[in-house]
Amino acid sequence: MNATVSTPDRNPLTQLTYRVLIEKHEEDLYSARIWELPECRSSGSSKEEALKSLHRLLVEYLKKVEIVSLTTDIPKAENPLMKWAGAFKNDPYFDEMLEDIAELRRERDLEMVEYDDRLDRAEATNKNELEETVK
């Protein structure tokens, strides 16, 4: 796994935007928390007061932390069926088994064609009977 941590040049970020969840608890009590930073929360008697308090808390919090970017490669998922690849390469009956499967498939396909034909005939018969009843 490859991971790269890059530290931005001196303050290339001048502004950050966060989503804030504001909840009204009672008549004069609101709480606000930053969605991405649940530990940053505050409260106040109005939405504005809760947001101002949260803003002050966030500014103090950001003074104590460093923002870096972490880039990593996504691990390639292994196909779980690959563990069986080649499992039958030396099996003398494998080709015979494949032919049996193919024969069974051909039989089932013929059965389905016959079944569909029967359904079509029954539908045509019902349609004719219905037309004669209507006359």
Side-chain angles (χ1 to χ4, degrees):
M1 179 172 96
N2 293 328
T4 306
V5 176
S6 44
T7 306
D9 297 333
R10 299 184 83 114
N11 287 333
L13 300 174
T14 57
Q15 191 175 38
L16 298 171
T17 303
Y18 294 99
R19 295 177 292 175
V20 175
L21 179 66
I22 300 173
E23 294 179 81
K24 182 175 182 178
H25 297 284
E26 297 172 10
E27 186 65 32
D28 292 329
L29 181 61
Y30 290 84
S31 67
R33 68 180 163 122
I34 297 175
W35 189 261
E36 296 88 350
L37 301 168
E39 67 274 9
C40 287
R41 58 177 59 225
S42 68
S43 59
S45 59
S46 66
K47 288 182 188 179
E48 293 75 20
E49 187 179 314
L51 284 170
K52 284 180 184 177
S53 174
L54 183 64
H55 183 264
R56 285 191 301 274
L57 179 68
L58 179 61
V59 168
E60 289 304 312
Y61 176 77
L62 290 175
K63 287 178 183 177
K64 302 173 190 174
V65 298
E66 178 182 4
I67 298 174
V68 298
S69 297
L70 177 64
T71 305
T72 184
D73 295 332
I74 299 173
K76 187 175 179 180
E78 182 179 327
N79 184 335
L81 300 177
M82 288 307 294
K83 66 181 177 183
W84 298 103
F88 299 104
K89 70 179 180 182
N90 295 322
D91 187 338
Y93 301 108
F94 188 70
D95 290 336
E96 184 180 331
M97 181 186 67
L98 288 179
E99 185 53 43
D100 288 345
I101 292 171
E103 178 61 29
L104 181 62
R105 179 75 266 149
R106 286 189 290 273
E107 290 173 10
R108 295 296 186 265
D109 288 345
L110 282 175
E111 289 173 8
M112 287 306 299
V113 168
E114 292 170 2
Y115 177 75
D116 288 342
D117 288 344
R118 282 196 312 269
L119 287 178
D120 290 342
R121 284 193 303 273
E123 185 178 336
T125 302
N126 290 339
K127 183 178 178 185
N128 291 338
E129 289 174 358
L130 182 63
E131 287 174 355
E132 287 182 19
T133 305
V134 172
K135 288 181 186 180

